[in-house]
Amino acid sequence: MPVVPPVRAKREPSHEHSGNYQEHKKGDVWFKAAFKRGLIDHTPLMAEFKVVITDFGSPENELEAAEFRHSGLDVELIRLNAKTAPELLPTVVDADALIVQWTPIPRDVIAQLRQCRVISRYGIGVDMIDLAAAGEHGIPVCNTPDYCIDEVSTHTLSFILMLNRQIMPQDQHVRAGKWGPPTPTPPARLSTQTLGVVGMGNIGRVVVQKAAAFGLKVLVYDPYLSADTAAQAGVERVELETLLQRADYVTLHCPLTEETRHLISTAQLQQMKPTAYLINMARGPIVDQPALVEALVSKTIAGAALDVFEKEPPPADEPLLKLENVIFTPHLSSWSAESFVQLRREVVQNVVTVFQGQQPRSIVNRKFLVAPTRQQA
């Protein structure tokens, strides 16, 4: 399909521009006189593109602004700190692009986006955006699929090593003034154990590669994984039930969809070994959290390691937080100095690519794009 240069719809001047202009006008007598005589065009200069960052963990967005400047595009960058969809309105109505971290972007908000050309996500998961609604309005949704592959896969192996070597119990044992083994049961040799990987996307593949260095046997459940790809990766492709029954560690790396919501619940936890551990590196709602609490309390499984919760941050009275056989991290498995910079650059590059009339590299709602995308309209 030929690329058509983007067409910019007219937008009313923003209050921010008008306010700055008025302050400048008041401060210069000559300017006021020239303005009154019509020698100066009083229309505020408007940027060609309006981009709204709905929310982001960093308190500043200078790196994003610098990336837009480097692109040569004339961009007005607006930063919100919206927690809910209603807080986005009316700012996003005339935006040409949204950059989103956690703010929900539901159907009713998307319907009010008059000229949005792209929604770009800080991260891999896109469960906070109504992909179908965006597609119906011709808006591609893009993620940043490879910014944290190394970090999340390393975090996964860190959890496995901590669980296998009983690092947390040993640490607590020493802090309590004790010495020797914290439990009567020694850990199994890691190279004799089996890892079950649920979801073999970009991160799952690297987890498999790193696990091989420790001699772990790897089982994979992924309904979209071909037999040839599994063979090339040196893994055994199995059904979920088989994986749960055989694995010593079950690690989750699948996206949150209606298909995967509560993929792991009471029945699945009961299929696991009593010596097995569950690791969730994906999204909290993939695991039925009350069912997990019950399995941990009843010793149906030995323990868990979680980077995500169903509700984030978890409330102070969350039952999981009271259990000793769980390791927690605050949804930071993707975090490193390098990944943080890469994430911010790639989220901007998605937008720049669309504004330049090109197809971005990672459209996640392609199957819903029933209408021509707006940059091609």
Side-chain angles (χ1 to χ4, degrees), residues 16-97:
E16 292 90 346
H17 283 86
S18 299
N20 292 339
Y21 172 76
Q22 293 295 336
E23 289 298 317
H24 182 72
K25 187 174 68 172
K26 290 177 183 177
D28 192 327
V29 175
W30 177 89
F31 187 94
K32 288 192 290 183
F35 174 79
K36 186 174 182 180
R37 292 170 58 192
L39 299 178
I40 296 178
D41 182 4
H42 70 279
T43 304
L45 295 176
M46 297 301 300
E48 184 179 4
F49 299 105
K50 175 180 175 181
V51 177
V52 176
I53 298 176
T54 64
D55 64 311
F56 189 45
S58 173
E60 52 78 29
N61 48 262
E62 180 51 38
L63 193 153
E64 290 85 346
E67 289 294 307
F68 279 120
R69 288 195 297 270
H70 182 73
S71 73
L73 296 172
D74 185 17
V75 173
E76 176 190 17
L77 187 60
I78 296 175
R79 165 69 180 267
L80 302 177
N81 289 299
K83 300 291 187 185
T84 63
E87 296 175 70
L88 299 172
L89 302 172
T91 306
V92 301
V93 169
D94 63 344
D96 295 285

Side-chain angles (χ1 to χ4, degrees), residues 137-151:
H137 287 80
I139 305 172
V141 177
C142 305
N143 66 353
T144 47
D146 53 8
Y147 84 99
C148 63
I149 294 172
D150 187 53
E151 288 77 9

Side-chain angles (χ1 to χ4, degrees), residues 50-376:
K50 175 180 175 181
V51 177
V52 176
I53 298 176
T54 64
D55 64 311
F56 189 45
S58 173
E60 52 78 29
N61 48 262
E62 180 51 38
L63 193 153
E64 290 85 346
E67 289 294 307
F68 279 120
R69 288 195 297 270
H70 182 73
S71 73
L73 296 172
D74 185 17
V75 173
E76 176 190 17
L77 187 60
I78 296 175
R79 165 69 180 267
L80 302 177
N81 289 299
K83 300 291 187 185
T84 63
E87 296 175 70
L88 299 172
L89 302 172
T91 306
V92 301
V93 169
D94 63 344
D96 295 285
L98 303 184
I99 297 179
V100 179
Q101 188 171 38
W102 297 112
T103 311
I105 311 294
R107 177 175 291 271
D108 61 324
V109 169
I110 290 171
Q112 297 181 65
L113 302 177
R114 294 201 301 255
Q115 57 197 46
C116 185
R117 300 162 186 265
V118 62
I119 299 173
S120 187
R121 166 95 214 291
Y122 282 115
I124 299 173
V126 288
D127 43 285
M128 67 296 298
I129 303 168
D130 190 324
L131 301 182
E136 291 164 14
H137 287 80
I139 305 172
V141 177
C142 305
N143 66 353
T144 47
D146 53 8
Y147 84 99
C148 63
I149 294 172
D150 187 53
E151 288 77 9
V152 178
S153 57
T154 297
H155 204 98
T156 304
L157 268 295
S158 299
F159 273 160
I160 293 170
L161 293 174
M162 291 181 73
L163 293 168
N164 172 265
R165 298 306 307 160
Q166 302 178 358
I167 298 298
M168 295 298 287
Q170 291 185 43
D171 174 84
Q172 294 163 7
H173 193 62
V174 175
R175 291 179 187 276
K178 301 176 183 178
W179 204 249
T183 66
T185 305
R189 180 174 290 170
L190 190 62
S191 60
T192 68
Q193 293 190 296
T194 298
L195 173 64
V197 178
V198 178
M200 197 170 163
N202 291 334
I203 293 172
R205 283 183 171 85
V206 179
V207 168
V208 167
Q209 294 168 7
K210 293 181 179 181
F214 291 95
L216 281 158
K217 178 178 175 57
V218 180
L219 308 176
V220 172
Y221 168 71
D222 187 328
Y224 304 100
L225 179 69
S226 69
D228 287 344
T229 302
Q232 290 171 7
V235 300
E236 183 180 351
R237 187 183 62 164
V238 297
E239 292 301 315
L240 180 60
E241 181 178 359
T242 302
L243 182 148
L244 295 171
Q245 291 171 348
R246 292 172 54 187
D248 298 292
Y249 309 92
V250 175
T251 181
L252 308 179
H253 300 281
C254 50
L256 176 61
T257 64
E258 287 308 310
E259 181 183 11
T260 63
R261 186 176 295 274
H262 285 188
L263 178 69
I264 304 298
S265 191
T266 301
Q268 289 73 36
L269 291 164
Q270 289 176 346
Q271 291 169 358
M272 294 175 64
K273 299 177 183 179
T275 55
Y277 296 92
L278 178 70
I279 300 169
N280 191 357
M281 307 298 296
R283 285 288 187 268
I286 293 173
V287 177
D288 181 344
Q289 205 157 285
L292 176 59
V293 171
E294 175 59 30
L296 291 167
V297 170
S298 64
K299 306 296 185 183
T300 300
I301 63 174
L306 308 175
D307 187 51
V308 291
F309 290 80
E310 282 209 74
K311 182 178 181 181
E312 296 181 353
D317 61 352
E318 167 56 51
L320 275 173
L321 300 178
K322 298 176 174 62
L323 303 181
E324 294 185 355
N325 54 344
V326 193
I327 301 173
F328 305 106
T329 52
H331 205 150
L332 281 179
S333 62
S334 63
W335 196 36
S336 74
E338 293 82 1
S339 68
F340 195 53
V341 171
Q342 184 180 347
L343 169 69
R344 298 171 73 178
R345 285 179 171 161
E346 289 185 359
V347 81
V348 170
Q349 190 55 51
N350 287 336
V351 176
V352 169
T353 300
V354 171
F355 285 175
Q356 291 174 338
Q358 305 297 320
Q359 287 286 349
R361 71 185 183 96
S362 181
I363 299 176
V364 296
N365 67 331
R366 195 180 298 274
K367 69 178 181 179
F368 298 116
L369 284 168
V370 295
T373 57
R374 294 184 183 185
Q375 73 268 25
Q376 297 173 329

